[in-house]
Amino acid sequence: MGDRLPSGDAMTSAFPVLAQQVNGHALAYLDNGATTQMPLQVMEAMRRFDTHSRANIHRGVHTLSQRATDAYEAARERLLRYVGGNEAHELVFTSGTTESLNLVAQGLSLPGMPSGGGGAALLPAWIQPGDEIVTTALEHHANLVPWQLAARRTGARLRVLLPDAEGCVTTEALAALLSPRTRVFAVTACANGSGERPPYEALLALAREAGALTVLDAAQAVSHEVPQLSMLACDFMAFSGHKMYGPMGTGALVGRREALERLTPLRMGGDMVEWVSETDAGFAAVPQRLEGGTPNVCGAVGLAAAADFIDGVGREAISAHVEALREHAVAGLSALPGVRVLARQTRRTAIASFVAEDVHPHDIGTLLDERGIAVRTGWHCAQPLLERLCQSPTTRASFALYNTHAEVERLVQGVAAALDMLR
Amino acid sequence: MSGADFDLYQQLVLEHKRSPRCFGTLPAPTHQARGRNPSCGDDIGVQLQVAGDVLQDIRFEGRGCAICIASASMMSEAVRGQKLDDAKDLQQRFRAVITGEIEPEEANLGKLVSLGAVRRYPSRIKCALLGWHALMHALQDAGGGAAAQDDPDIVVDHAGAAGDAAAPPTPDGAPR
């Protein structure tokens, strides 16, 4: 199996953090599902902003404020294009997927304000008592817990689409859960605990047909299999910058403008109002309405630079590369005695999550770290899924464009040695 | 294999992981408690038979990593038949070693010194302490003495009188 991307040297010069030794071995960073590394190109874009244009945005009449505003709004446009948005869509900057999903869940649970203000009655919340919210058992806690709370707050019922024994969810199973009371359907584009890539296109379409607003958690897909909004029956899509070679603490909620307008903001304050009196306020249009307070402008610039970086390398090439690494890892790990890789048959995913008989993931993780190999161990914030699939935490290797087949070999050898030692 | 991982996973530790001592339940425990590490799913229940100021018998069960199971196993072996005060004293010395407050050689830990390398792995300290937390919580009602020190990572279901701590699941890597 050959690597299809620029050579290892080019990669390590783009990602200086990779060129280090850990416990006496070259670092093999296989924890990209948690956080990807950031290339120099992205750091440089942020440094340029901070050294040249740093100022607060909007309503500043001075030159730096105008530059900062231009950079921020250009980043918004760039990222909206990156995820396939069109003129019907808007992008709201957030601190990441978790904030984005909380914004949707809370925003649909609370009575909303009319755009005009001026003492007009609050609009009723989208979710009402007796309504139904549907999510799946594949979700990260960030796409489950906010919906649990939304259901309790509103008196709605939370229904959970369960996977089969292999961890797959189907449109048939979803159809059985949908009803005229379904108001929201939320699903992941790739399960971070197992790596399963559900047929989210068909699931979203089915839920929209039933009258639900649809929510896609794209955190694990946004670095290689970027969902294209205008091709999807998707009202809201959430993603994080730090999982797509961008800065930590950045991310976005993108969606249909009309759907975003239904959200009651999480944060009231500056920059999200048109006018304010002592006792009332008129609220700005989206996206500003949902971005109260000074945003992470430098982070937005870095996030847009990360999109440029990905498109510079090529999404197809990245996707093919990480999928090949995952297949390599699945084949190697599955051949070890007593090892079971979750979601083995799934495609277009960069995550290999596995359990080993009689050996705990923490021990595997520590022994791999001794060999300079970074993986994640535990529940991966997806406890319901893992309880269902394997009743235990897992070891998870997750791949990025800078990883190599040689690193996958080291992973497989490292796991084999750990099993030998611990059994 | 590098020297460091040999230090953490010493043969004695691995041997206790493969064949934990005092594993199971007591027919009529006088005290019990259960500790969990929510982040990793480790889950250890401890049952005691206390008579007067003596810890007559102990069993533990649950699931956890090699460090967690080996530590609970070696703990059970060390405190069985001991006076309660001696068990508590041992817990404090073990904890002080694992958290780096005193050197392993100074603590007179007996076989438990083979877990001393855990102090160099901050993310694994809670693994080594889980069974001990459950023990200390179970002991809280048995003859007073120092209260258990909690770590923020560990959740303890305290069941002073026997009977109401939910049974933990079977362990990874322990005989079934």
Side-chain angles (χ1 to χ4, degrees):
Chain A
M1 267 179 274
D3 294 327
R4 307 178 201 184
L5 289 180
S7 76
D9 286 350
M11 279 301 166
T12 43
S13 60
F15 292 88
V17 70
L18 298 174
Q20 64 176 300
Q21 303 264 309
V22 169
N23 292 323
H25 300 268
L27 169 64
Y29 184 81
L30 306 181
D31 191 19
N32 298 287
T35 288
T36 48
Q37 298 298 341
M38 203 158 67
L40 281 176
Q41 184 179 328
V42 171
M43 297 181 210
E44 177 55 26
M46 290 195 290
R47 197 192 63 81
R48 222 164 31 237
F49 173 81
D50 269 338
T51 51
H52 186 64
S53 308
R54 179 184 160 95
N56 216 328
I57 55 166
H58 295 160
R59 290 178 314 283
V61 295
H62 62 82
T63 300
L64 263 58
S65 175
Q66 190 56 52
R67 273 192 216 145
T69 302
D70 291 347
Y72 189 61
E73 295 305 327
R76 193 193 303 281
E77 276 308 305
R78 174 68 187 95
L79 290 159
L80 188 57
R81 219 164 2 99
Y82 178 74
V83 297
N86 59 32
E87 59 285 346
H89 296 104
E90 264 301 348
L91 183 144
V92 177
F93 282 111
T94 67
S95 63
T97 304
T98 296
E99 187 191 339
S100 299
L101 293 170
N102 274 274
L103 172 54
V104 179
Q106 184 170 319
L108 296 175
S109 305
L110 300 177
M113 73 283 287
S115 299
L122 294 181
L123 299 171
W126 174 255
I127 305 169
Q128 290 292 313
D131 283 348
E132 294 182 350
I133 299 166
V134 179
T135 182
T136 87
L138 265 54
E139 305 307 313
H140 187 283
H141 296 167
N143 204 21
L144 182 59
V145 180
W147 298 113
Q148 293 172 350
L149 190 63
R152 291 179 64 177
R153 271 192 173 137
T154 58
R157 180 176 174 212
L158 180 65
R159 308 195 69 180
V160 180
L161 175 59
L162 301 180
D164 63 19
E166 297 304 306
C168 308
V169 292
T170 62
T171 49
E172 292 73 22
L174 176 61
L177 277 188
L178 296 172
S179 82
R181 299 305 302 263
T182 309
R183 296 293 270 171
V184 177
F185 171 63
V187 66
T188 184
C190 175
N192 77 305
S194 68
E196 174 70 14
R197 193 272 196 209
Y200 61 80
E201 299 92 333
L203 296 170
L204 293 170
L206 194 62
R208 175 176 282 176
E209 216 171 277
L213 285 175
T214 56
V215 185
L216 184 65
D217 170 359
Q220 292 296 343
V222 72
S223 68
H224 57 100
E225 274 274 322
V226 192
Q228 293 298 290
L229 258 191
S230 49
M231 315 281 284
L232 294 170
C234 179
D235 293 299
F236 303 101
M237 184 171 106
F239 65 92
S240 297
H242 69 104
K243 296 194 202 291
M244 54 173 279
Y245 312 104
M248 289 180 146
T250 66
L253 175 67
V254 275
R256 285 194 310 114
R257 188 176 295 105
E258 216 176 289
L260 289 167
E261 282 167 354
R262 291 184 183 280
L263 298 179
T264 300
L266 282 179
R267 295 189 306 270
M268 313 303 150
D271 220 28
M272 51 83 70
V273 282
E274 294 285 1
W275 57 265
V276 180
S277 72
E278 283 91 344
T279 56
D280 199 6
F283 297 96
V286 294
Q288 275 75 28
R289 188 193 303 183
L290 301 172
E291 291 183 351
T294 296
N296 182 356
V297 182
C298 182
V301 168
L303 187 47
D308 288 342
F309 170 77
I310 289 171
D311 283 339
V313 177
R315 298 179 198 193
E316 292 300 314
I318 297 171
S319 192
H321 180 68
V322 295
E323 186 175 354
L325 293 174
R326 199 258 181 185
E327 280 179 28
H328 183 173
V330 170
L333 293 167
S334 300
L336 301 176
V339 170
R340 177 183 154 216
V341 181
L342 304 185
R344 193 177 164 180
Q345 301 305 326
T346 204
R347 290 289 174 267
R348 290 182 285 170
T349 182
I351 290 171
S353 184
F354 64 96
V355 287
E357 254 170 55
D358 295 339
V359 179
H360 193 282
H362 274 189
D363 298 314
I364 296 175
T366 292
L367 289 168
L368 289 176
D369 185 59
E370 294 291 343
R371 295 167 171 247
I373 302 168
V375 296
R376 189 143 293 253
T377 60
W379 292 111
H380 316 301
C381 299
Q383 190 171 358
L385 174 64
L386 298 182
E387 294 277 19
R388 190 165 287 279
L389 292 182
C390 53
Q391 297 84 49
S392 83
T394 77
T395 306
R396 184 184 79 179
S398 48
F399 303 105
L401 58 84
Y402 37 67
N403 293 131
T404 66
H405 287 280
E407 289 174 332
V408 175
E409 279 303 313
R410 283 175 58 195
L411 168 73
V412 174
Q413 285 161 14
V415 173
L419 300 184
D420 276 350
M421 179 178 185
L422 292 161
R423 279 181 179 152
Chain B
M1 192 190 307
S2 74
D5 59 31
F6 182 77
D7 283 343
L8 182 62
Y9 293 102
Q10 292 191 15
Q11 279 312 315
L12 188 61
V13 172
L14 291 171
E15 205 257 307
H16 274 263
K17 178 263 180 191
R18 292 182 190 118
S19 311
R21 322 295 198 267
C22 304
F23 192 84
T25 56
L26 290 171
T30 56
H31 298 79
Q32 59 183 319
R34 175 180 166 194
R36 284 175 289 134
N37 282 332
S39 66
C40 59
D42 289 1
D43 186 335
I44 297 289
V46 170
Q47 294 188 332
L48 308 178
Q49 183 75 50
V50 176
D53 64 348
V54 176
L55 203 169
Q56 285 189 324
D57 208 353
I58 179 170
R59 293 287 185 281
F60 81 97
E61 63 177 350
R63 66 182 182 188
C65 63
I67 301 302
C68 174
I69 295 293
S71 183
S73 170
M74 294 164 90
M75 167 191 85
S76 300
E77 204 176 49
V79 300
R80 181 155 62 168
Q82 299 293 309
K83 291 199 162 176
L84 299 186
D85 285 346
D86 292 340
K88 287 172 186 168
D89 186 56
L90 179 62
Q91 184 270 345
Q92 289 188 356
R93 281 181 282 128
F94 181 73
R95 188 180 199 286
V97 167
I98 296 300
T99 56
E101 289 162 33
I102 57 174
E103 293 306 311
E105 309 78 62
E106 297 165 15
N108 192 22
L109 290 179
K111 286 182 190 175
L112 281 159
V113 77
S114 60
L115 284 162
V118 172
R119 71 213 318 261
R120 292 192 283 105
Y121 297 80
S123 66
R124 306 301 302 277
I125 289 171
K126 65 183 191 297
C127 309
L129 293 180
L130 183 60
W132 296 85
H133 275 272
L135 171 66
M136 284 300 105
H137 277 266
L139 278 178
Q140 255 178 7
D141 297 337
Q149 290 166 284
D150 281 330
D151 281 324
D153 286 339
I154 294 178
V155 177
V156 178
D157 298 333
H158 185 211
D164 53 348
T170 55
D172 299 338
R176 268 156 249 244

